[in-house]
Amino acid sequence: MKSKPIRFPPQFLWGTATSAYQIEGSHDVDGRKPSIWDTFSKTPGRVTNGDTGDVATDSYRRVEEDVALLKQLGARAYRFSIAWPRVMPDGRGEVNPLGIAYYQRLVRLLSDAGITPMATLYHWDLPQALHDEGGWMQRRTAEDFARFAGVMFDALGESVPYWFTVNEPWCASFLSHAMGEHAPGERDLGRALTVAHHLLLGHGLAMTEFRKRKLGGQIGMAPNVDWREPYSQDRQDIAACERGLDWFNRWFIDPIYHGRYPANMFARYGELGLKPPILAGDMATISQAPDMLGINYYTGSYGMNRADPLPLRAQDDALTQIEALRNLSTANVPGFSKTDIGWDIFPEGFYKVLLWLRDEYGNPPLFITENGACDNALPGSDGQVHDAIRVEYQHRHVIALNRAMRSGCDIRGFMAWSLLDNFEWAHGYGKRFGLVHVDLETQTRTPKDSFHWYSQLIANNGCDA
Ligand code: FCB
C-alpha cells in the first residue's frame, strides 16, 4: 500500500542550525579573545583527541560558501549563534566593531539569499575574562549578558526577526558545573543551581532590553528537552517519569511560563540545603511573556522507577548526587537503536514532548531549534556520503513533528542540527552531525544523502509518510 504524503503549512520555516564556537574557528582573529570553551578544550583530558575550536570548520572565513550551501539546500531559515567574545572580547566594556561587522555581513548574505536569520545570543562561549571574575556564579554576569544582548539588538535590529537568548541552559549549568563534562568543568550541584538561576535571569534581562527597543522581531529561550515514556502503567514508573520531567524540562521552562520553579524538585534540592539565589523581582523578570519557545530535542526513552534508588544526600559529591537525582527520576530501559553518539532514537518521544509542552504551557508558539542525528558515515568510493542513519532519523522525526502539528501544537519552524559536521564539544570532531560532510584537512564540503533528502522535503514542503 502506498503511504500518504504529509504536508506542512506554506510559511513553515525549514532550516538548519549551528553555533559559533563549533564552526567559526579564527579564534584569535580580528580582536576575538578566549571563551571558557577555548580554555577548556586546551586543558588536557577534557576533549577527546585534544580537539579544539581554533580552526573548526573555518566558517568565519568561509561564510559565503556556507550561505551558498544553505541556498543550495533551499533553506528558508538559518539559526546561528553570536560569539560574545568576538563582539565584547572582555565580556563587558569595549565593543569590537570587527566582531559586529562579521555578523552584519552574515545577516546581509542570508537576507540577500532569501534566508531568514535566527540568532542565538548564548551558545556556551562565555568570555574567559568574565569567568575569571566568577562567571555565571555572579549575578553580574546576567547583567553583562543583557548588555551584550542590547549591543546586538542595536547592531542587527529588525534584520534578525527571531532571537534566542540562551541555548540549552541545562547543559550550561548542570552538565558544565555539576557533571564536569562541559566548560568550565566544575563538579558542584549547588553551583550548578546558582548558574541555572543566573542563566534564567540573563534570559529575562535580555528580554527587558529587547522590549525596551520596541523591535518588531520575536524572542524566546531555547532549552533542551527529552522525554521519558513510562515503561508501564505501574504508578511507580509514571511517578518516576514525572520526576524526570521536573529535573530536566520543567526546571527551566516553568520559571519562564509559570514564574516559579517546579515545587517538588525545589523541595528536593532543599533537602540537600540547596536553593537558587532568587532575589525580589527575579521571577517576574524571568517570566515576562516571551514571543515563542525554541525546543532542542534529540533523544528520549522508556523510563522506569529503579528498585534500588540511591539516597540523595548532602554529604555526597556532585556526581553521586546527580546519579541519585537520575535514580529518583528514571532508569532508562534498554532496547533502542542508537545514533553514532550512543543516544537512543525515540521519535515517539518527540511527538509526546510536543504534546506535553502544548498542555503544560498553554500551547506556546514553538520553533524546533535543534533536532538531528550523529551519523559518522564518510565519503564512499563514489564520493558520496550515504548517511542512512541520519536520513531515517530525520524522516521519523519529521513525521512526529507533523503528527504534533495535526494535534494542534503551534509549531512554526524546524532547524536541523546541523548544517556542517563540526566541533561536537567534549567529543571533538569525531562525532558528525552535519548534513554536509567537512573534510577537516582541506575544509572541503560535501553534501550528504541527508542534505539531498532534506532539500527535497523543503522543496515539496513535505514527504512520504
Ligand atoms: C546540543 C547542542 C548543540 C550540538 C548538539 C548535538 O546539545 O546545543 O550545540 O552539540 O547538541
Side-chain angles (χ1 to χ4, degrees):
M1 198 175 78
K2 201 168 167 350
S3 59
K4 209 172 150 58
I6 54 173
R7 290 284 170 263
F8 287 81
Q11 328 70 355
F12 197 72
L13 280 181
W14 296 106
T16 70
T18 61
S19 90
Y21 189 71
Q22 294 178 278
I23 64 163
E24 286 180 1
S26 297
H27 68 112
D28 56 358
V29 167
D30 290 345
R32 183 189 181 278
K33 287 192 182 169
S35 74
I36 53 174
W37 267 96
D38 294 85
T39 310
F40 187 75
S41 62
K42 284 167 191 162
T43 309
R46 293 302 205 171
V47 174
T48 306
N49 204 26
D51 290 345
T52 75
D54 283 4
V55 178
T57 59
D58 199 24
S59 293
Y60 186 71
R61 297 194 306 155
R62 290 169 196 263
V63 55
E64 262 114 13
E65 193 178 342
D66 290 347
V67 173
L69 280 168
L70 286 164
K71 199 164 180 192
Q72 185 189 338
L73 178 69
R76 299 177 190 164
Y78 177 54
R79 173 177 177 244
F80 59 94
S81 87
I82 297 167
W84 185 353
R86 233 183 245 299
V87 170
M88 294 173 96
D90 294 310
R92 72 168 77 91
E94 207 128 319
V95 173
N96 173 22
L98 293 174
I100 300 262
Y102 171 69
Y103 296 104
Q104 286 174 329
R105 178 151 159 258
L106 170 61
V107 166
R108 204 173 322 113
L109 287 167
L110 290 168
S111 305
D112 289 350
I115 299 164
T116 302
M118 292 184 167
T120 304
L121 289 160
Y122 188 70
H123 206 122
W124 310 347
D125 42 3
L126 180 72
Q128 181 64 39
L130 292 189
H131 187 69
D132 294 341
E133 293 178 17
W136 286 110
M137 283 301 291
Q138 302 296 328
R139 197 179 164 83
R140 183 174 176 187
T141 297
E143 293 158 7
D144 290 328
F145 172 67
R147 270 191 290 274
F148 156 63
V151 166
M152 292 319 301
F153 298 147
D154 290 338
L156 300 178
E158 293 188 0
S159 61
V160 172
Y162 300 101
W163 294 87
F164 295 96
T165 53
V166 177
N167 181 69
E168 301 195 352
W170 185 88
C171 292
S173 52
F174 292 98
L175 191 64
S176 309
H177 293 263
M179 294 153 83
E181 291 178 29
H182 278 190
E186 293 175 352
R187 291 205 166 145
D188 185 313
L189 189 55
R191 289 172 74 86
L193 276 185
T194 297
V195 166
H197 185 69
H198 290 156
L199 287 164
L200 283 163
L201 183 64
H203 157 82
L205 293 171
M207 294 272 307
T208 308
E209 290 300 315
F210 190 78
R211 297 285 185 242
K212 249 202 296 211
R213 288 166 174 79
K214 304 205 180 319
L215 288 171
Q218 300 188 12
I219 187 162
M221 199 182 206
N224 46 331
V225 297
D226 75 0
W227 185 253
R228 287 285 169 280
E229 180 69 14
Y231 180 69
S232 75
Q233 290 186 341
D234 181 311
R235 285 199 0 241
Q236 303 243 26
D237 290 351
I238 295 170
C241 289
E242 272 301 307
R243 290 195 293 268
L245 291 174
D246 272 2
W247 122 261
F248 200 82
N249 296 1
R250 288 196 184 99
W251 194 257
F252 295 95
I253 313 180
D254 277 18
I256 295 181
Y257 284 90
H258 299 324
R260 50 154 178 71
Y261 284 101
N264 291 336
M265 200 65 226
F266 197 86
R268 235 172 262 284
Y269 287 130
E271 287 163 23
L272 299 178
L274 304 176
K275 65 172 199 270
I278 308 171
L279 298 192
D282 282 6
M283 299 317 282
T285 302
I286 293 168
S287 61
Q288 319 174 52
D291 299 299
M292 39 67 171
L293 180 67
I295 288 296
N296 295 0
Y297 175 87
Y298 289 91
T299 186
S301 186
Y302 291 126
M304 63 161 65
N305 196 30
R306 279 262 262 267
D308 56 343
L310 275 177
L312 182 59
R313 297 184 309 197
Q315 68 267 33
D316 286 334
D317 64 25
L319 287 186
T320 313
Q321 289 176 338
I322 293 276
E323 205 36 49
L325 280 172
R326 285 213 166 115
N327 257 271
L328 278 172
S329 47
T330 49
N332 278 11
V333 181
F336 282 85
S337 312
K338 296 181 190 305
T339 61
D340 283 344
I341 200 169
W343 299 350
D344 289 339
I345 301 176
F346 196 39
E348 187 73 13
F350 190 29
Y351 171 66
K352 288 283 178 75
V353 83
L354 292 171
L355 299 194
W356 176 82
L357 288 160
R358 178 197 67 187
D359 297 341
E360 193 100 349
Y361 302 108
N363 203 13
L366 300 182
F367 284 88
I368 308 309
T369 31
E370 289 180 28
N371 172 252
C374 178
D375 179 337
N376 280 339
L378 298 173
S381 49
D382 57 357
Q384 304 293 309
V385 185
H386 303 299
D387 53 342
I389 297 176
R390 181 172 299 104
V391 172
E392 188 185 342
Y393 177 101
Q394 219 62 99
H395 189 184
R396 294 176 68 196
H397 284 77
V398 162
I399 292 171
L401 174 75
N402 192 265
R403 290 179 63 208
M405 290 172 73
R406 276 183 73 136
S407 306
C409 296
D410 182 1
I411 306 171
R412 315 263 172 106
F414 177 92
M415 303 302 119
W417 182 275
S418 179
L419 176 64
L420 305 164
D421 291 340
N422 59 44
F423 176 79
E424 183 43 40
W425 307 114
H427 299 282
Y429 295 98
K431 301 290 178 206
R432 295 175 178 269
F433 276 85
L435 300 171
V436 175
H437 175 267
V438 179
D439 179 322
L440 292 163
E441 298 295 313
T442 62
Q443 294 292 348
T444 304
R445 277 111 161 101
T446 309
K448 306 180 188 179
D449 285 358
S450 56
F451 180 100
H452 303 300
W453 177 85
Y454 194 40
S455 176
Q456 276 298 309
L457 171 102
I458 298 173
N460 298 330
N461 214 22
C463 60
D464 287 339

